[in-house]
Amino acid sequence: MQTIVIGHRNPDMDSICSALAYAELKRLTGHDDVIAGRAGNTNERIDFVLAKFGFEPPALINDLSPRVSDVMQPKVISVREDSPVYDALQLIEKKRLRGLPVVDGGNRCLGLLSAFKVSHYLFPPREEADSARLVTASIADIVTTFGGALLAGSLSPEPEEQVLVVGAMAAESFAPRVQRHPASKIVVFVGDRPEIQELAIRARVHAVVVTGGLTIDEEIRAAARAANVTMISSPHDTATSVLLARGAVRAGRMIETDYQSFSPDTLLDEARALAAHSDSFLFPGLDEHGTLVGILSKSDFLKSVRRQLILVDHNELSQAVRGAEKVPIIEILDHHKLGGFACDAPILFWNNPVGSTSTIVALCYQQLGVPIEAKFACLLMAWLLSHTLSLNSPTATPADCDALNRLSKIAGVNPDELAEQIFSVGSPLLTMTPQQAISADCKPYAENGHRFTVAQIEELTFAHFPEKRDALLEALAAQRERAGLLFAALLVTDINDQNSLLLVQGADEFLQTIDYPPHAPHIWELAGVVSRKKQLLPYLLSCLGRMPQSRVSRRRARG
């Protein structure tokens, strides 16, 4: 079972660092196959911190919706198109299968070979029994299937139509039977009947198979060579030899080419629906080149996906990586408000009103008595400092201060120097496009029937803001229209002065409820506001409650 530790979409440093550090803690406490993931791209500051302390970014995971690759069998039993049906049937019997995919030399799937079709071929209905003597196969494959030996002539490897004839009657009765078919296509199966052997050679049939491992007179062999007739010895009796010879037909001639296949990336729900209405017994998994990379039977669609999630730095499915609702969530570590999360079974849910999820992760190490490696202490320090604005944010708590002191001692790093390095890297206004700036740390919310987004970027100064202001407002307006939001907001925070500017594009009835001092159209000055979680979001929710239609809705509800 794979466990993925992952933060919210549009990840900030907290969701990246806490995922890496908590995944390491799970591994240290005996959990196998635990990986850290990220649900979006990193930014310049995150990249700086990861590189500084020797970390690779967590694996990028855009969608966790179960896919065909999660349940298909990667080890596929298949046969080549030039394999005799006999060999395929042996595999089907040995592995207790209903059929096999048939592939070419490049492992590209050509079709399916079903056990039913092979059985129908080997044991046809009575009304079709006469056609059973016709076999399209090479004489070389025929000899291989019954383990025969060449006595005279040659064994052509090319498939061609053969007519299997049994010489089990007197010569005067057998002669007319030979004349019913072109001699060049006839393969005669006969025991120790020299007169039948000689008759077949005189008729210049394609081959004579002497069954039962019986000896053959040298005169007959010489006659066969002179007449250019292939002579073969079979160790089996005539009935067995003929039955095995019919299995020499190559698998490629008996495939079903009308079959349902799936790409490994196909959503499992979509594939399951298609498979439910299909008569196919197997479903090949094919890559974009048609190469066989897996196989599914209908029972595979009933398998549970071997994957589970640990969410960090959020507890709302609206903010989670796509497909999270289809995967078991076994733990949540967060420091935000509760988002109406529900689950089918009890889980570990640690929601602590501290300034950073990194503080919670540090407390987890402490609680379990697991020492924190220096580089992970540096990682947790970095986001604790970033998320609490060097403990100057109103979200900072004594627990954050204690965690920072302990991490600093383990890491041997001065917190003030590290904070200065982090905040001096990459002004978002200068290094990001307007669309990136409003999306990099953007969180969606749904309250009282309204949907909205709130993003935040942090600057050392507002010096670059005037030149970017109009483009940011245009990007917010486009985001609001594209997603059908009540409003889209961006909080631009000056971490030195501990002030912010709030940009909002939204419905007039909502904008009218914002009572902070206006800075410009659609922009307000928020003195002393630096925390989206603790200061801005509660204020925006109160604005929602003051909207005129909200009061109307409440009156209707009371009525």
Side-chain angles (χ1 to χ4, degrees), residues 423-463:
F423 291 123
S424 64
V425 172
S427 161
L429 289 176
L430 287 181
T431 61
M432 295 181 178
T433 66
Q435 181 58 45
Q436 289 171 334
I438 69 169
S439 303
D441 184 13
C442 178
K443 293 188 177 181
Y445 298 94
E447 297 286 342
N448 298 329
H450 298 295
R451 295 189 304 113
F452 58 95
T453 59
V454 183
Q456 184 175 18
I457 57 175
E458 295 163 347
E459 296 283 328
L460 292 176
T461 171
F462 287 139

Side-chain angles (χ1 to χ4, degrees), residues 316-336:
E316 299 187 47
L317 287 177
S318 62
Q319 297 180 13
V321 59
R322 285 191 297 274
E325 73 281 0
K326 299 178 181 179
V327 181
I329 297 173
I330 61 169
E331 294 184 32
I332 297 177
L333 272 62
D334 192 23
H335 64 123
H336 297 92

